[in-house]
């Protein structure tokens, strides 16, 4: 009986051998096949014996065992207590710190050897003390040196063999030699001569540097055999010991201390970084919207383009790290800003909440997404992953499993990354070629991908066993606010680079080379004439929705440069020019707008001329006339005149004034010399 991996076990011999056997060998094997009895260690390899978990024995066999051998726990506690009294902790510390040369590399002892040497040194120390006690006791009795002292010590060594598991010689003479060596050399004499020590280095530091240099060589590139041959050819000249075998050289080069010194030259520095530098162990979020990942990848399905060519495309996906739910995506040939915009917008609309954090790489359109401030508006924190470090992105793992579990079922599957080693990760090129005409069109590809990602969302999460989408929907995150309509405008409406002017033809913006005109309405289909009177030829900052061009938002800047919302503008109304093409509604609209235009001219004239009269700058007040409106009917001008009549003087008042003014300016000498002639009848009649 003994503990194996901290589990109480009994041996095959204790169970099946002798007159007091607990169970027959055949019954033991039958119980093992049925799973009733567990085997902790099989009796394979030299020096090993089978061990069986004591707790797994059926109760009747445990009772038999304890009748014959006692309670295993109590027996082992007693043995352990006795062995603890013998074991030398200083010996264990010595062997744990001991190093020796293994193929030119300083190596520590294995745990098995540490345990063996500790037990041997401890027993030798105990036997030495025992021999000293017996010798002193014999001398004290005056009997001289007894001839049977070694028999007693030898017998005690054998009694301790089972409890301590020591491997000291079973031969009395060899045991005596071992003990004498221990007295002289201490702990070091216990170590096998095959192990070696610090002074038996086979590859010196200088020779090691040469081997590493040959392994790193690029001109020429050498195989291990060529390195072996070249090094041994140089060894004699440089005073180095030649390497005896190619296998020894390979073992030295592959050792953990040496391999990092040449790995980057052979396999690349990035591979060396990923292989040897420390990685973080991270715990994924415990609730939704704590962390979103955004990344672009190849959409691993082939399709047939308009020219019949076999092609692939890309997709940008946004996922929730907690539930692995695909939230938003955009299929695009390039991972540009527009693809990211569409994917994040869809993700926010599906979620209904802003995420706390977004993690993305720094490639493609992410630089524009950063500079435009889009990501800052969506989440509290966004950061980039370490470049060339796929292990740091959970989304890479999700994509891999999505490909293996969902997309792989479609015969149009492109295969995973070309670095994948499994045959199942590669496409059947011959089958694809034979069925090229059955490939998806681009529209069919988009529909198939939507179906595939829906299937993924409805599959169970490997950690919880719950559907990913339900797992996401049932979770709550109080620190991620719900998204409002105003939030959507703030996050996803795009601001035009330049200000635009509202003219008599409305306000015009250009998006991707296409011009779009808008105007402000007072009611559906009715332009707001009053607003036009006040804002025509004013400059505005325009925001638009790339998803929906049915309206834009106009903002004006205050003196501090802050934006102030003015109005929503709708697409400019377009009517047919030819009468034949016009509908009844369009004709009515034209008539109404003509009336509105006339009324607008009237109002503008009346207000302006009222101001003139009030300030004394009206042309009529200085003997001049205001031009009449052109291109309008006479009743339009009459309306203006009628509304301005209160500012006119009666005709007689105007005549008296003119005559009086003329009379006052005439000199008497002018009358006498007949320079001027005055119609006295008019003067007498008016005065």
């Amino acid at each position: 009986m003994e503990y194996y991996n901290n589990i109480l076990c009994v041996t095959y011999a204790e169970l099946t051998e002798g007159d007091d056997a607990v169970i027959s060998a055949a019954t033991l094997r039958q119980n093992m096949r049925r799973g009733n009895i567990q085997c902790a260690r099989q009796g394979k390899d030299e020096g090993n014996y089978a061990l069986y978990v004591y707790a797994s024995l059926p109760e009747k066999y445990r009772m038999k065992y304890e009748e014959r051998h006692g309670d295993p726990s109590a027996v082992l506690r007693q043995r352990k207590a006795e062995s603890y009294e013998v074991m030398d902790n200083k010996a264990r510390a010595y062997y744990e710190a001991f190093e020796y040369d293994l193929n030119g590399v300083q190596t520590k002892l294995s745990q098995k050897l540490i345990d063996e040497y500790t037990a041997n040194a401890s027993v030798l120390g105990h036997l030495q003390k025992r021999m000293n006690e017996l010798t002193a006791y014999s001398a004290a009795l005056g009997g001289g040196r007894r001839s049977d002292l070694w028999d007693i010590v030898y017998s005690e060594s054998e009694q301790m063999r089972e409890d301590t598991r020591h491997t000291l010689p079973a031969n009395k003479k060899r045991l005596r030699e071992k003990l004498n060596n221990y007295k002289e050399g201490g702990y070091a004499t216990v170590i096998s001569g095959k192990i070696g020590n610090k002074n038996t280095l086979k590859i010196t530091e200088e020779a090691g540097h040469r081997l590493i240099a040959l392994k790193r060589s690029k001109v020429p590139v050498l195989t291990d055999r060529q390195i072996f041959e070249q090094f041994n050819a140089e060894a004699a000249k440089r005073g180095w010991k030649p390497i005896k075998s190619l296998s020894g050289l390979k073992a030295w080069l592959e050792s953990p201390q040496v391999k990092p010194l040449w790995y980057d030259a052979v396999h690349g520095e990035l591979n060396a970084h990923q292989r040897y530098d420390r990685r973080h162990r991270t715990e994924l979020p415990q609730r939704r919207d704590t962390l979103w990942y955004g990344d672009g990848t190849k959409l691993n399905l082939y399709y047939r383009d308009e020219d019949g060519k076999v092609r692939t495309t890309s997709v940008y996906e946004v996922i929730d790290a907690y539930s692995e739910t695909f939230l938003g995506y955009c299929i695009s040939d390039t991972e540009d800003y527009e693809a990211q915009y569409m994917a994040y917008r869809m993700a926010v609309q599906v979620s209904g909440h802003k995420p706390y954090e977004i993690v993305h790489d720094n490639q493609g359109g992410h630089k524009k997404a950063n500079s435009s401030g889009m990501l800052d508006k969506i989440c509290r924190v966004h950061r980039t992953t370490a470049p060339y470090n796929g292990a740091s992105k959970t989304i890479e793992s999700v994509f891999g499993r999505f490909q293996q579990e969902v997309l792989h079922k479609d015969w149009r599957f492109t295969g995973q990354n070309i670095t994948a080693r499994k045959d199942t990760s590669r496409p059947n090129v011959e089958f694809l070629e034979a069925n090229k005409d059955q490939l998806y069109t681009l529209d069919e590809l988009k529909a198939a991908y939507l179906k595939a990602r829906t299937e993924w969302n409805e599959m169970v999460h490997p950690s919880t066993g719950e559907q990913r989408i339900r797992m996401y929907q049932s979770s709550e995150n109080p620190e991620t606010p719900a998204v409002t309509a105003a939030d959507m405008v703030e996050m996803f409406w795009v601001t035009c680079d330049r200000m635009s002017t509202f003219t008599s033809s409305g306000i015009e913006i250009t998006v991707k080379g296409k011009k779009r005109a808008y105007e402000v309405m007072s009611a559906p289909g009715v332009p707001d004439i009053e607003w036009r009177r006040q804002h025509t030829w004013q400059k505005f900052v325009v925001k638009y929705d790339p998803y929906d061009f049915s309206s834009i938002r106009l903002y004006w800047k205050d003196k501090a440069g802050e934006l102030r919302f003015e109005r929503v503008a709708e697409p400019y109304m377009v009517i047919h020019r030819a009468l034949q093409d016009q509908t009844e509604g369009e004709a009515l609209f034209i008539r109404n707008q003509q009336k509105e235009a006339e009324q607008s001219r009237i109002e503008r004239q009346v207000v302006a001329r009222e101001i003139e009269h009030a300030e004394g700058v009206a042309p009529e007040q200085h003997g001049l006339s205001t031009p009449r409106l052109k291109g309008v009917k006479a009743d339009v001008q009459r309306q203006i005149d009628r509304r301005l009549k209160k500012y006119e003087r009666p005709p007689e008042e105007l005549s008296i004034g003119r005559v009086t003014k003329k009379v006052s300016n005439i000199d008497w000498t002018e009358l006498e010399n007949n320079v001027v002639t005055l119609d006295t009848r008019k003067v007498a009649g008016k005065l």
Side-chain angles (χ1 to χ4, degrees):
M1 67 189 77
E2 62 183 79
Y3 279 98
Y4 179 74
N5 291 336
N6 294 323
I7 300 175
L8 180 59
C9 300
V10 292
T11 66
Y12 179 83
E14 290 172 329
L15 290 175
T16 63
E17 295 180 0
D19 297 334
D20 56 352
V22 174
I23 187 173
S24 68
T27 305
L28 175 62
R29 288 192 294 271
Q30 189 177 28
N31 274 273
M32 286 179 57
R33 283 196 298 270
R34 293 176 177 175
N36 297 333
I37 298 177
Q38 299 176 15
C39 180
R41 184 181 69 189
Q42 296 181 347
K44 297 180 179 180
D45 300 329
E46 185 178 356
N48 276 343
Y49 47 89
L51 291 173
Y52 302 90
V53 178
Y54 180 75
S56 71
L57 296 176
E59 185 177 1
K60 63 179 180 178
Y61 298 123
R62 290 203 303 270
M63 293 176 63
K64 285 184 181 181
Y65 184 90
E66 293 181 12
E67 288 176 1
R68 291 161 175 73
H69 302 284
D71 182 1
S73 300
V75 173
L76 287 174
R77 279 196 298 270
Q78 179 62 27
R79 286 184 182 178
K80 192 171 288 186
E82 293 172 356
S83 64
Y84 283 158
E85 295 176 3
V86 174
M87 289 299 167
D88 185 349
N89 291 329
K90 291 183 180 179
R92 179 173 292 278
Y94 176 85
Y95 298 123
E96 286 177 344
F98 181 82
E99 292 183 354
Y100 68 100
D101 175 72
L102 179 64
N103 295 320
V105 179
Q106 290 300 106
T107 308
K108 291 184 179 294
L109 294 169
S110 67
Q111 189 61 46
K112 181 179 179 181
L113 287 177
I114 292 173
D115 294 340
E116 178 184 344
Y117 292 160
T118 300
N120 289 352
S122 300
V123 172
L124 287 172
H126 175 77
L127 295 179
Q128 182 181 346
K129 291 178 183 179
R130 184 63 173 151
M131 176 61 78
N132 292 339
E133 290 174 358
L134 291 172
T135 302
Y137 183 70
S138 177
L141 294 176
R145 186 176 180 84
R146 292 174 53 181
S147 60
D148 63 343
L149 293 184
W150 261 107
D151 292 333
I152 297 173
V153 171
Y154 172 74
S155 176
E156 192 159 339
S157 172
E158 290 304 305
Q159 291 175 5
M160 297 176 67
R161 187 178 297 278
E162 183 178 358
D163 292 338
T164 62
R165 316 290 298 179
H166 74 74
T167 59
L168 294 172
N171 181 277
K172 188 187 301 183
K173 182 179 180 180
R174 290 183 58 206
L175 177 63
R176 187 169 185 172
E177 292 173 356
K178 196 76 172 177
L179 184 56
N180 289 334
N181 291 336
Y182 180 78
K183 289 178 183 179
E184 295 178 5
Y187 297 140
T189 62
V190 177
I191 299 174
S192 170
K194 298 178 181 179
I195 296 299
N197 55 55
K198 293 182 179 179
N199 298 320
T200 60
L201 290 174
K202 296 178 182 178
I203 299 177
T204 64
E205 182 178 0
E206 185 182 5
H209 287 176
R210 181 57 180 165
L211 286 171
I212 293 170
L214 292 173
K215 184 69 174 177
R216 294 182 63 91
S217 174
K218 291 297 182 185
V219 184
V221 177
L222 302 173
T223 65
D224 288 346
R225 178 169 290 280
Q226 290 169 333
I227 293 172
F228 174 76
E229 293 171 352
Q230 183 166 335
F231 177 85
N232 283 345
E234 298 175 2
K237 299 177 183 178
R238 301 200 181 192
W240 299 331
K241 291 182 179 180
I243 299 174
K244 295 181 180 180
S245 66
L246 178 60
S247 61
L249 171 64
K250 289 183 177 180
W252 185 83
L253 289 172
E254 291 291 329
S255 62
Q257 294 85 353
V258 176
K259 193 171 184 177
L261 299 178
W262 56 260
Y263 193 89
D264 65 306
V266 176
H267 302 289
E269 196 283 329
L270 181 58
N271 285 332
H273 160 64
Q274 294 173 343
R275 181 182 180 91
Y276 291 109
D277 291 336
R278 184 183 182 276
R279 294 181 181 179
H280 291 298
R281 287 185 175 271
T282 57
E283 183 178 351
L284 289 174
Q286 301 301 308
R287 54 188 177 275
R288 60 174 277 178
D289 302 328
T290 298
L291 173 62
W292 286 4
Y293 277 101
D295 196 11
T297 186
K298 185 172 78 171
L299 198 165
N300 296 84
L301 294 175
Y302 285 115
Y303 76 98
R304 186 180 71 258
D305 67 11
E306 295 177 352
D307 298 327
K309 296 180 180 179
V310 178
R311 292 192 56 193
T312 61
T313 187
S314 299
V315 61
Y316 191 92
E317 277 283 3
V318 179
I319 71 166
D320 173 60
Y322 159 68
S323 62
E324 297 184 348
T325 300
F326 287 8
L327 296 174
Y329 75 104
C330 179
I331 295 174
S332 171
D333 286 338
T334 56
E335 185 184 339
D336 57 9
Y337 171 76
E338 183 177 355
Q340 294 161 12
Y341 172 91
M342 296 297 186
Y344 283 113
R345 176 166 182 154
M346 180 179 178
V348 170
Q349 289 175 323
V350 170
S351 170
H353 290 261
K354 293 182 179 181
Y356 188 93
E357 179 184 6
I358 293 176
V359 172
H360 54 86
D361 60 26
N362 202 29
Q363 299 179 10
H366 283 122
K367 294 180 181 178
K368 182 175 180 181
N370 287 334
S371 62
S372 68
M374 181 183 74
L375 296 179
D376 292 321
K377 297 172 184 176
I378 297 176
C379 61
R380 294 192 188 183
V381 181
H382 66 90
R383 57 184 175 85
T384 58
T385 54
Y388 307 107
N389 187 11
S392 66
K393 295 191 287 186
T394 301
I395 196 169
E396 296 282 1
S397 169
V398 173
F399 276 151
R401 287 183 283 122
F402 175 55
Q403 292 165 2
Q404 294 172 8
E405 299 172 21
V406 181
L407 294 182
H408 183 268
K409 294 186 291 185
D410 195 317
W411 63 267
R412 304 163 188 85
F413 182 55
T414 67
Q416 294 180 257
N417 192 291
I418 59 172
T419 59
R421 298 182 179 180
K422 294 181 180 179
D423 290 337
T424 54
S425 300
R426 303 174 185 179
N428 187 334
V429 179
E430 293 180 0
F431 188 83
L432 285 166
E433 186 65 27
N435 295 276
K436 185 166 61 175
D437 58 331
Q438 298 297 318
L439 291 174
Y440 292 130
T441 63
L442 182 58
D443 289 339
E444 291 171 343
L445 172 74
K446 293 179 178 180
Y449 184 77
L450 175 60
K451 183 179 178 181
R453 66 192 303 277
T454 302
E455 179 182 348
W456 169 267
N457 284 347
E458 293 176 351
M459 291 170 64
V460 297
H461 192 283
S463 298
T464 63
E466 184 180 1
Q467 277 188 331
R468 291 184 175 91
I469 188 65
R470 289 186 180 179
M471 183 177 169
Y472 179 78
Q473 292 172 345
S474 61
S475 176
E476 293 183 0
N477 190 339
E479 296 187 46
T480 55
V483 175
T484 64
D487 291 330
M488 292 298 294
V489 171
E490 178 66 20
M491 289 187 291
F492 297 111
W493 283 48
V494 178
T495 303
C496 290
D497 296 333
R498 297 179 179 179
M499 296 182 72
S500 300
T501 303
F502 192 98
T503 69
S504 57
S505 299
I507 192 165
E508 194 173 78
I509 63 173
T510 303
V511 180
K512 290 187 175 182
K514 183 177 181 179
K515 293 184 178 181
R516 300 175 186 271
Y518 295 86
E519 62 180 324
V520 175
M521 303 291 185
S522 60
V526 180
D528 193 332
I529 303 301
E530 181 60 33
W531 185 88
R532 276 175 165 271
R533 291 193 189 110
Q534 301 179 31
H535 298 285
T536 299
W537 295 104
Q538 181 175 344
K539 289 183 177 294
F540 292 99
V541 173
V542 178
K543 289 186 178 183
Y544 64 91
D545 183 355
Y547 258 169
D548 182 7
F549 288 97
S550 62
S551 66
I552 60 174
R553 295 170 70 88
L554 307 182
Y555 298 81
W556 55 274
K557 281 187 178 181
D558 61 16
K559 292 183 179 180
E562 297 293 329
L563 295 182
R564 304 299 180 104
F565 173 70
E566 176 60 33
R567 289 287 292 273
V568 171
E570 298 175 17
Y572 204 91
M573 293 196 64
V574 178
I575 56 177
H576 291 93
R577 178 173 297 186
L579 293 175
Q580 183 178 357
D581 297 331
Q582 290 178 1
T583 65
E584 183 178 347
E586 287 179 337
L588 178 61
F589 177 78
I590 292 172
R591 290 194 296 271
N592 290 338
Q593 288 302 300
Q594 185 175 355
K595 291 180 181 179
E596 290 287 352
E598 292 175 351
Q599 191 61 36
S600 181
R601 295 178 72 178
I602 292 171
E603 293 295 332
R604 190 164 53 249
Q605 284 290 313
V606 169
V607 172
R609 291 174 65 178
E610 283 179 343
I611 294 174
E612 286 180 348
H613 283 284
E615 297 297 326
V617 297
E620 290 81 4
Q621 293 173 315
H622 297 278
L624 301 174
S625 300
T626 298
R628 303 179 71 82
L629 269 63
K630 298 182 181 300
V632 297
K633 295 180 180 180
D635 65 326
V636 172
Q637 185 64 51
R638 283 196 295 270
Q639 287 187 52
I640 297 174
D641 294 340
R642 186 165 54 251
R643 292 179 61 178
L644 292 173
K645 199 168 186 65
K646 61 181 178 179
Y647 296 106
E648 297 179 359
R649 288 187 293 273
E652 59 275 10
E653 293 182 5
L654 291 174
S655 299
I656 294 171
R658 290 173 183 170
V659 172
T660 304
K661 185 69 174 179
K662 188 171 183 179
V663 170
S664 65
N665 288 329
I666 297 175
D667 189 83
W668 288 105
T669 58
E670 294 176 324
L671 290 174
E672 292 178 357
N673 297 325
N674 296 320
V675 176
V676 295
T677 303
L678 183 66
D679 190 340
T680 55
R681 290 176 301 176
K682 287 186 177 181
V683 173
K686 300 300 179 184
L687 299 178

